Amino acid sequence: MKTVLTIAAREYTERIKQKGFIIGTILGVLLIVGLSFMFVVFGLLSSAFTTSVAIVAPSPAVGAIIEHTLRKADRSYRLTVVPQHSQDSQLPAAVRDALEKKKYDAALVAYYNRNKQLAFSYYPEQPNALSKASDLKQYLLPAVIVADGMKRGNTRAENELNFPFTTVNLNKHFKSEAEQSQSQILVYFLLLLMYMSVILYGIYVAQGVIEEKSNRVMELMIGAVRPSQLLAGKIFGIGSLALTQLIIIGGASMLINATAAANFSQQLLHSGGAGAASSSTGLGILTVPLLSWVYLIVFFLLGFFTYATMFAGVGALASKPEDLQQTNSIFTLPIIVAYLLSLLVLVDPQQPVVVWGSLIPMLSPMVMFARVATSDVPAWQVAVAIAGSFAAIWLFTLLAGKLYRIGVLMYGKPLAPKEILRAIRAHT
Amino acid sequence: MLDVSHVSKNFGALRAVDDLSFTAGQGAVFGLLGPNGAGKTTSIRMILDILQPDEGEIRWDGVRVDAETRHTFGYLPEERGLYPKMRIRDQLLFFARLHGMPDVEAKARIAQLAEAFHLQEAIKKTPVELSKGNQQKVQFMAAIAHKPPLLVLDEPFAGLDPINVEIFKRLIRELIAAGTTIVLSSHRMEQVEELCRDICIIDRSKPVLKGNLAEIKRAWPDRFIRMTAIPNTAFLAKFPGVTVLPSENGYSKLKMPPQIAPADILREAVSSAPIDHFEVVEPSLRDIYLQYVRPEEPVA
């Protein structure tokens, strides 16, 4: 074990100093920062488009106040006060029909709750309406103050600042408000990150093996350690390197999250709460939930080990970097298929092809990650995907260990598939 | 003590090593000789437990060689290299760690070896900044840094200039004095002759000669004459069985069967040419080697 750690430590410390790693990490951080603030840009853009909202109020007077307030706050709303009156948070059937027929992008139900306080339920149907939920809440505060004052003659500021506002998703594909607004872009980014990391670091493993063979360090190494230790050390070292990169990029993302939250509380302090203008989503800053990072790391590790063991075996059989090019294109094919399938997940996570794909080893790490990050997946399916990956890793490790023993001291022309099979059998 | 006993290895239909046995004692160099492709490297890889013999066994101090024992061995392979962009000192430390040497001890040892090889400055650099000879010294350092009880050297002198050959020889002698068992494989007969106590010649997978080098020479039936180069060897026709060998260092060399008296040859030689050097010598290792190793058959 100590030998494996020594080898892993060398791989790690030598590669972490390389320009490629440093530049890659910086680019990753810049990309996630850029993406995080992209919603600010999107927000600006989407404000140029109108969102049509149906207002359901307990009385025509309240309806008029809400309409007036919102119109003043944001000109991008196209507002309609419907004739139906609300009793509670329920959406009147006629309005629901109109939403389904896409007559409105969203409906806002204002009602008096049990505490006789003005409360709101927001029913977004279209994604653009969903992203406006927090803006809307912020705009509604003056309407609450005016409406409460009208009804009871006095206002209780602390109640009004925290007036009830709930968002009810009508579109079943939305996982939740916060996640939906972020999932598409961020999951896409994380998938890209995972796809590139698995391919890049997998090929690093193969290249590392070939480098050691072609500069003949392998001969010195093999005199000191077993091929299996060499294989394990290399994979663990490069795997830790990849993990470091993910953690740095993830950490940067978490930092943005924390900064946004700090910013929010700062604003609360300064404005005494009245301008509870911004939650982190309200600011338009996109953040990746911690759980998504955890999923990313778990499935990345599964994917990395699946492909790294495979690439190590491939590398052991090659003598020159050129030999790798052909074989690499064959072995990266499953990753590309997995990537394409996981993009389909973003369109519809329930499609049979992606559900099946997420259960098949070699495809499962990416496809299952895309599924868990965008929708609720039955636990047994996640368990099957993980168990399948472990089985694949076990199998590939056995195979790679054998290929390694055969291949590390073999130079010259690459073996034909028939010779490889014979050699594997000879070593069992 | 290294004990190789009736070891054979096949690669498919090819028998790479056929019934090899020898013993390499402590504090001595054992020479493993033979032409290219004779099975030397395969034998070395079996000694180091990189390959497992199909028949026979290899023991170190009475214990069968396994991952645990070979971990302590040192090996300078024929085809050798270093990590091109890793600092030499870090590489040496890395290899010493792989052999289980504690860091503090390894650092002191590396400093000591760097001084012995005159590489104090070079070890702060990377291999790409070093000459080939210096790279070879570093590889040698990597093989001996962890003070191995058994050191296997495969063509250690290849590509070295005479000064570095002397440094290598000096270090090998120091290692012998410290009790290291050394297995040396080389085509440089002079160095093998100088350093080895025992030898084994392998030809076409089979051991063809083995034993104590001094005894082999003493027991050698033919005698050899080294004399001033003579342009005309016609007088040798009177001595049946005497053959002219390729000249060595400007001297003529003759091989003669035991029944012929050297004095008779000297007399004849002096009458045909001025002779200022004439000596009866033991066979050189090269003579012995050429006697045992058959020339390669022409490739069809």
Side-chain angles (χ1 to χ4, degrees):
Chain A
M1 193 61 210
K2 204 178 150 207
T3 309
V4 172
L5 284 181
T6 306
I7 296 169
R10 195 205 76 85
E11 291 289 339
Y12 187 85
T13 49
E14 284 303 308
R15 287 173 192 275
I16 204 163
K17 291 186 269 183
Q18 285 175 6
K19 280 192 203 100
F21 177 81
I22 297 169
I23 294 172
T25 311
I26 293 174
L27 280 181
V29 170
L30 287 180
L31 206 61
I32 190 122
V33 172
L35 278 176
S36 296
F37 286 94
M38 211 160 85
F39 252 42
V40 177
V41 180
F42 274 15
L44 291 174
L45 283 178
S46 72
S47 65
F49 300 100
T50 54
T51 307
S52 59
V53 180
I55 298 168
V56 189
S59 66
V62 175
I65 293 165
I66 293 170
E67 191 196 359
H68 177 73
T69 315
L70 287 180
R71 205 179 296 286
K72 242 173 67 182
D74 190 338
R75 301 183 82 69
S76 76
Y77 290 109
R78 203 172 66 238
L79 304 160
T80 313
V81 181
V82 296
Q84 290 85 350
H85 293 306
S86 57
Q87 305 300 320
D88 50 20
S89 67
Q90 291 304 307
L91 192 64
V95 182
R96 186 180 289 270
D97 284 348
L99 275 178
E100 276 169 14
K101 287 178 187 144
K102 313 250 187 272
K103 198 173 162 194
Y104 307 112
D105 295 331
L108 179 69
V109 178
Y111 61 99
Y112 287 107
N113 65 9
R114 274 187 229 125
N115 305 329
K116 303 287 174 213
Q117 193 184 6
L118 192 60
F120 298 89
S121 276
Y122 182 56
Y123 295 83
E125 170 65 34
Q126 297 299 317
N128 64 333
L130 181 59
S131 64
K132 289 194 166 171
S134 52
D135 287 350
L136 204 63
K137 183 178 181 190
Q138 164 197 341
Y139 298 147
L140 282 170
L141 186 63
V144 174
I145 296 167
V146 175
D148 268 6
M150 202 169 70
K151 188 170 165 59
R152 298 193 293 200
N154 66 336
T155 55
R156 304 238 300 276
E158 67 275 26
N159 276 348
E160 279 152 1
L161 284 177
N162 298 315
F163 67 90
F165 184 98
T166 50
T167 303
V168 184
N169 281 328
L170 293 177
N171 194 325
K172 60 179 178 298
H173 294 318
F174 299 163
K175 198 173 172 185
S176 76
E177 175 195 349
E179 277 158 299
Q180 195 282 333
S181 58
Q182 301 169 2
S183 61
Q184 300 290 322
I185 292 168
L186 277 181
V187 169
Y188 181 75
F189 170 75
L190 295 183
L191 274 174
L192 198 67
L193 195 65
M194 188 160 154
Y195 170 71
M196 292 197 328
S197 299
V198 168
I199 288 197
L200 206 71
Y201 289 98
I203 289 178
Y204 259 24
V205 170
Q207 273 174 349
V209 177
I210 290 179
E211 265 167 33
E212 281 175 356
K213 278 182 77 172
S214 64
N215 62 28
R216 302 290 195 264
V217 183
M218 192 65 98
E219 296 266 347
L220 274 179
M221 298 285 287
I222 218 76
V225 298
R226 273 189 264 199
S228 56
Q229 293 174 318
L230 206 52
L231 172 81
K234 190 164 278 298
I235 290 176
F236 282 127
I238 295 180
S240 317
L241 190 73
L243 207 57
T244 306
Q245 190 164 54
L246 287 185
I247 288 170
I248 291 175
I249 298 173
S253 154
M254 290 296 137
L255 208 65
I256 295 168
N257 208 343
T259 319
N263 218 350
F264 168 56
S265 49
Q266 200 70 16
Q267 285 198 8
L268 268 185
L269 273 178
H270 281 294
S271 54
S278 40
S279 65
S280 59
T281 36
L283 268 180
I285 291 176
L286 209 55
T287 53
V288 185
L290 188 63
L291 192 65
S292 291
W293 283 108
V294 173
Y295 278 137
L296 179 76
I297 284 171
V298 168
F299 285 107
F300 164 74
L301 286 178
L302 291 175
F304 171 77
F305 280 112
T306 308
Y307 287 96
T309 45
M310 204 171 77
F311 278 122
V314 173
L317 289 180
S319 317
K320 306 184 294 288
E322 300 90 90
D323 297 342
L324 257 194
Q325 281 166 2
Q326 282 183 329
T327 37
N328 267 356
S329 52
I330 300 169
F331 289 100
T332 44
L333 203 66
I335 313 181
I336 296 171
V337 172
Y339 178 63
L340 294 177
L341 277 179
S342 49
L343 291 186
L344 279 182
V345 174
L346 298 185
V347 180
D348 181 1
Q350 308 301 333
Q351 287 176 80
V353 60
V354 300
V355 173
W356 282 108
S358 70
L359 301 177
I360 298 171
M362 293 183 80
L363 303 180
S364 59
M366 286 193 75
V367 184
M368 187 51 92
F369 167 69
R371 285 187 65 204
V372 292
T374 52
S375 61
D376 292 318
V377 179
W380 70 266
Q381 290 187 0
V382 180
V384 167
I386 292 177
S389 287
F390 271 115
I393 292 167
W394 178 73
L395 190 74
F396 285 144
T397 307
L398 278 186
L399 206 62
K402 276 182 190 153
L403 292 178
Y404 224 77
R405 269 207 309 201
I406 301 162
V408 283
L409 292 173
M410 189 195 75
Y411 304 102
K413 82 174 175 56
L415 290 183
K418 219 164 79 183
E419 293 171 295
I420 296 172
L421 279 180
R422 202 184 316 136
I424 290 173
R425 271 204 296 269
H427 278 75
T428 24
Chain B
M1 192 175 74
L2 177 73
D3 189 17
V4 176
S5 159
H6 301 289
V7 163
S8 299
K9 180 75 187 174
N10 303 312
F11 293 118
L14 175 81
R15 197 156 177 85
V17 175
D18 190 2
D19 196 22
L20 175 69
S21 297
F22 67 83
T23 304
Q26 201 194 352
V29 182
F30 184 92
L32 197 56
L33 313 178
N36 297 324
K40 295 186 306 277
T41 302
T42 304
S43 303
I44 287 174
R45 285 181 179 169
M46 286 192 285
I47 292 171
L48 293 163
D49 195 41
I50 298 169
L51 294 172
Q52 281 69 41
D54 294 333
E55 293 152 41
E57 61 174 16
I58 298 168
R59 290 176 172 270
W60 172 251
D61 283 346
V63 182
R64 194 187 266 256
V65 172
D66 59 9
E68 205 51 45
T69 37
R70 76 97 173 258
H71 193 62
T72 62
F73 296 168
Y75 175 41
L76 180 68
E78 181 181 7
E79 297 261 11
R80 50 206 166 215
L82 296 162
Y83 291 106
K85 288 177 193 157
M86 191 176 177
R87 279 204 316 170
I88 304 286
R89 193 163 38 198
D90 296 341
Q91 302 206 36
L92 290 171
L93 193 59
F94 171 64
F95 284 115
R97 275 184 195 142
L98 285 186
H99 286 285
M101 198 179 212
D103 273 11
V104 181
E105 204 181 320
K107 281 177 186 162
R109 172 82 169 149
I110 290 164
Q112 176 208 341
L113 284 174
E115 204 183 323
F117 278 105
H118 309 300
L119 289 180
Q120 291 101 318
E121 283 307 306
I123 59 166
K124 295 173 192 159
K125 297 181 181 166
T126 58
V128 285
E129 299 169 87
L130 259 54
S131 70
K132 193 167 172 275
N134 278 346
Q135 286 190 26
Q136 208 158 329
K137 286 187 197 167
V138 173
Q139 289 150 356
F140 191 67
M141 284 166 74
I144 62 170
H146 60 286
K147 300 183 178 169
L150 172 70
L151 176 64
V152 180
L153 303 172
D154 198 351
E155 290 296 349
F157 307 108
L160 284 184
D161 63 40
I163 294 174
N164 282 327
V165 168
E166 287 311 312
I167 296 179
F168 269 50
K169 283 198 298 201
R170 194 188 75 221
L171 266 136
I172 290 173
R173 287 203 185 92
E174 282 175 20
L175 290 167
I176 300 170
T180 311
T181 303
I182 298 178
V183 174
L184 169 68
S185 167
S186 176
H187 292 305
R188 298 263 195 117
M189 292 300 156
E190 326 81 76
Q191 273 102 36
V192 175
E193 200 156 15
E194 230 176 291
L195 295 167
C196 293
R197 190 176 70 189
D198 303 285
I199 60 157
C200 175
I201 298 178
I202 307 178
D203 187 30
R204 287 159 222 227
S205 318
K206 284 191 178 68
V208 289
L209 175 72
K210 68 179 175 209
N212 180 285
L213 185 56
E215 280 170 19
I216 290 173
K217 283 182 175 183
R218 262 200 303 276
W220 201 253
D222 299 323
R223 275 175 293 176
F224 293 81
I225 288 171
R226 205 157 79 115
M227 59 193 285
T228 310
I230 40 173
N232 186 359
T233 54
F235 72 92
L236 289 174
K238 292 178 187 165
F239 304 99
V242 173
T243 46
V244 180
L245 299 175
S247 61
E248 270 178 16
N249 303 327
Y251 290 102
S252 282
K253 199 165 179 194
L254 307 177
K255 184 175 88 173
M256 55 179 198
Q259 69 274 17
I260 291 174
D264 295 342
I265 294 182
L266 175 63
R267 218 170 294 124
E268 287 296 325
V270 169
S271 63
S272 70
I275 302 291
D276 55 16
H277 188 101
F278 185 95
E279 62 174 330
V280 179
V281 292
E282 284 186 327
S284 68
L285 182 56
R286 186 157 158 259
D287 300 323
I288 297 168
Y289 181 89
L290 291 175
Q291 184 77 31
Y292 274 95
V293 175
R294 288 169 290 165
E296 238 176 272
E297 281 144 21
V299 179

